[in-house]
Amino acid sequence: AQSVTQPDIHITVSEGASLELRCNYSYGATPYLFWYVQSPGQGLQLLLKYFSGDTLVQGIKGFEAEFKRSQSSFNLRKPSVHWSDAAEYFCAVGARSSNTGKLIFGQGTTLQVKP
Amino acid sequence: DVKVTQSSRYLVKRTGEKVFLECVQDMDHENMFWYRQDPGLGLRLIYFSYDVKMKEKGDIPEGYSVSREKKERFSLILESASTNQTSMYLCASITGLYSYNEQFFGPGTRLTVL
């Protein structure tokens, strides 16, 4: 079955520290891969996506993610976290064969930033 | 900028009531989605629509129905609300028919069923 797993439900980092959020997927073929962020009281916003080419993808707000086919992973990273990065982060996958735009989302990781 | 709006940010209803959640997008997107968001479960797809009057069930359609009479508007209906439908409901839209396109989300409606 197709699935997305974010192993860390909650992560706390100090402001200025580096960040890595993990995402693993189970899929028949390489899917499209996304990271979305949900700030408190708001809807989801796209941070970045991968669909082909360079496996290191740059996104908004200084985030990047690396697609590793051998590990079925798409981990999100940021070298230096800001207090405004505190939010919930969702990894998602979409089928290349799909004509509906449907996505499967992970459980989400809540990021807390300590001053 | 794409804008997806939802009719209410917070809603409180009683068990057995019929509940309507409205979603409107202003960018002429073809596909629209209703998700339910619960802690530890992420977003789960309830229904989606790929054209006016066209709909398909998602992963958790039980207890819900939808209506899309106009391209810009997608409604989620709880025929008889129950306490286990207390949740955050998110609407999204997407242009085109490819899943590499970005989904644009509304701010969500937090529904409490008493």
Side-chain angles (χ1 to χ4, degrees):
Chain A
Q2 302 157 355
S3 65
V4 179
T5 302
Q6 295 178 242
D8 305 306
I9 301 299
H10 192 108
I11 282 184
T12 300
V13 300
S14 298
E15 192 167 16
S18 62
L19 172 70
E20 182 169 30
L21 302 182
R22 296 183 291 165
C23 174
N24 295 97
Y25 64 89
S26 174
Y27 223 79
T30 300
Y32 298 124
L33 298 156
F34 304 80
W35 275 99
Y36 282 84
V37 61
Q38 184 181 34
S39 298
Q42 299 191 20
L44 277 69
Q45 179 186 20
L46 180 68
L47 279 176
L48 48 77
K49 62 182 180 182
Y50 170 81
F51 54 89
S52 68
D54 193 344
T55 56
L56 186 62
V57 180
Q58 301 298 319
I60 62 171
K61 305 186 181 188
F63 285 92
E64 66 179 25
E66 186 172 13
F67 167 57
K68 292 185 177 180
R69 186 191 308 272
S70 61
Q71 299 177 19
S72 297
S73 69
F74 189 55
N75 294 349
L76 182 71
R77 300 194 294 248
K78 187 170 186 179
S80 177
V81 169
H82 188 261
W83 63 266
S84 60
D85 293 324
E88 189 159 19
Y89 292 80
F90 293 94
C91 181
V93 301
R96 290 176 183 266
S97 58
S98 169
N99 63 354
T100 63
K102 286 173 60 178
L103 298 179
I104 299 172
F105 285 85
Q107 303 92 325
T109 298
T110 299
L111 173 64
Q112 183 179 359
V113 180
K114 293 191 301 184
Chain B
D1 277 354
V2 174
K3 195 165 185 183
V4 180
T5 57
Q6 295 183 228
S7 51
S8 306
R9 293 299 299 272
Y10 299 93
L11 209 52
V12 179
K13 296 292 182 180
R14 297 220 172 262
T15 301
E17 280 192 76
K18 190 168 186 176
V19 181
F20 293 86
L21 303 183
E22 305 285 338
C23 175
V24 177
Q25 49 93 4
D26 66 359
M27 284 300 291
D28 203 36
H29 284 176
E30 292 82 2
N31 290 13
M32 297 185 73
F33 304 84
W34 274 107
Y35 293 94
R36 171 175 172 158
Q37 181 182 4
D38 298 290
L41 297 178
L43 276 70
R44 294 179 291 167
L45 182 63
I46 304 171
Y47 267 97
F48 70 99
S49 168
Y50 50 90
D51 201 350
V52 175
K53 297 190 187 295
M54 306 303 287
K55 61 187 179 184
E56 280 195 24
K57 293 179 180 179
D59 300 316
I60 52 165
E62 297 78 19
Y64 304 94
S65 63
V66 291
S67 172
R68 194 166 180 201
E69 298 295 321
K70 293 185 177 181
K71 191 174 185 180
E72 68 271 17
R73 187 180 297 270
F74 190 34
S75 302
L76 180 69
I77 303 157
L78 287 66
E79 295 290 344
S80 178
S82 64
T83 55
N84 62 13
Q85 292 177 311
T86 292
S87 187
M88 170 71 87
Y89 291 88
L90 293 170
C91 175
S93 70
I94 187 172
T95 186
L97 298 175
Y98 302 103
S99 58
Y100 61 73
N101 288 334
E102 176 182 357
Q103 288 197 16
F104 291 88
F105 284 82
T109 296
R110 185 165 296 281
L111 173 66
T112 301
V113 182
L114 302 175

